[in-house]
Amino acid sequence: MRFDTKIGIVVRADLAAWQQLNVTAFLASAVAGGAPETIGEPYEDGSGNTYLAMFRQPVLVYQGDVHELRAVREKAMGREMDVAVYIEEMFKTGHDADNRAAVRAVEADEMELVGVAVHGARNGVDKVLKGLALHP
């Protein structure tokens, strides 16, 4: 199935594996919370157990360096896409309020980005992510 929209997450390649997974999970939750239309219906198994709903479309995960992450954020913001960011300082915080304060404390072009998520029209997201390598 071909979707009209696309979800892409870019994580910094030099992070530890646990950090890449953590950043990816947080950024995916941002897309889910900010774009509820991306979520499908809850699941149910043959025994009647119910499970949480998930994205109704694939999420592609890419890797890049800090310069590529900044370029992705800038291009996506310029196209007025849904954007989520995760900055290095957030590894040192303990909860959501501190995370938001950490982001608020720095200018956009000075953020030490470790991850960026974008959601928008498929062709626009493709242009924003052009040239990046898929995460191995």
Side-chain angles (χ1 to χ4, degrees):
M1 178 175 214
R2 186 170 167 90
F3 295 93
D4 293 337
T5 61
K6 188 170 189 174
I7 301 168
I9 296 175
V10 187
V11 295
R12 212 170 69 197
D14 65 344
L15 298 177
W18 75 266
Q19 291 173 312
Q20 291 179 345
L21 292 170
N22 184 266
V23 169
T24 301
F26 271 99
L27 291 172
S29 75
V31 174
E37 70 276 9
T38 62
I39 303 299
E41 296 295 320
Y43 287 74
E44 184 175 327
D45 65 26
S47 300
N49 298 303
T50 58
Y51 304 94
L52 295 171
M54 292 186 265
F55 285 123
R56 62 180 181 81
Q57 65 188 93
V59 178
L60 296 172
V61 182
Y62 300 81
Q63 65 180 8
D65 62 28
V66 69
H67 303 292
E68 290 169 315
L69 290 167
R70 286 179 178 158
V72 166
R73 190 203 66 79
E74 188 174 311
K75 289 178 199 174
M77 296 294 289
R79 291 177 172 269
E80 299 182 358
M81 294 180 173
D82 297 328
V83 178
V85 296
Y86 198 106
I87 63 172
E88 201 165 298
E89 186 65 24
M90 292 165 70
F91 287 129
K92 301 173 190 166
T93 63
H95 54 81
D96 187 50
D98 285 348
N99 286 344
R100 282 181 278 124
V103 173
R104 191 178 305 111
V106 294
E107 296 291 326
D109 59 349
E110 295 176 9
M111 285 193 281
E112 289 298 321
L113 293 168
V114 296
V116 177
V118 296
H119 170 255
R122 173 184 269 293
N123 62 346
V125 172
D126 285 342
K127 289 177 183 175
V128 166
L129 301 176
K130 185 177 182 171
L132 292 174
L134 283 170
H135 196 284

